[in-house]
């Protein structure tokens, strides 16, 4: 999950014209991934045998 946070933070920084992410980009990425993980079943991304409260590490 740390890799996903890094990728999202770098992408956000690049989208905003910066070479490297700042702390706010990392916090933004963590928040968005956390939201996604907690709502992924609502988006139809859970397998049938997966518990809806299970988070990916």
């Amino acid at each position: 999950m740390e890799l996903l946070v890094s990728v999202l933070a770098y992408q956000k920084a690049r989208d905003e014209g910066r070479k490297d992410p700042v702390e706010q980009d990392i916090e933004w990425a963590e928040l968005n991934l956390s939201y996604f993980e907690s709502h992924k079943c609502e988006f139809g991304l859970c397998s049938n045998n997966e518990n809806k409260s299970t988070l990916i590490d």
Side-chain angles (χ1 to χ4, degrees):
M1 188 139 137
E2 290 179 38
L3 178 62
L4 289 174
V5 168
S6 295
V7 169
L8 286 175
Y10 273 98
Q11 185 61 49
K12 185 173 188 302
R14 297 282 172 116
D15 289 348
E16 294 178 357
R18 291 178 276 113
K19 184 177 179 179
D20 294 314
V22 293
E23 185 65 29
Q24 291 86 354
D25 297 328
I26 295 167
E27 291 170 359
W28 172 87
E30 289 172 342
L31 179 66
N32 279 289
L33 275 177
S34 175
Y35 178 84
F36 172 76
E37 287 296 324
S38 65
H39 292 86
K40 68 182 180 180
C41 291
E42 294 173 26
F43 301 136
L45 299 172
C46 287
S47 63
N48 290 338
N49 59 359
E50 186 175 5
N51 185 343
K52 290 186 177 186
S53 64
T54 300
L55 297 178
I56 297 174
D57 292 318

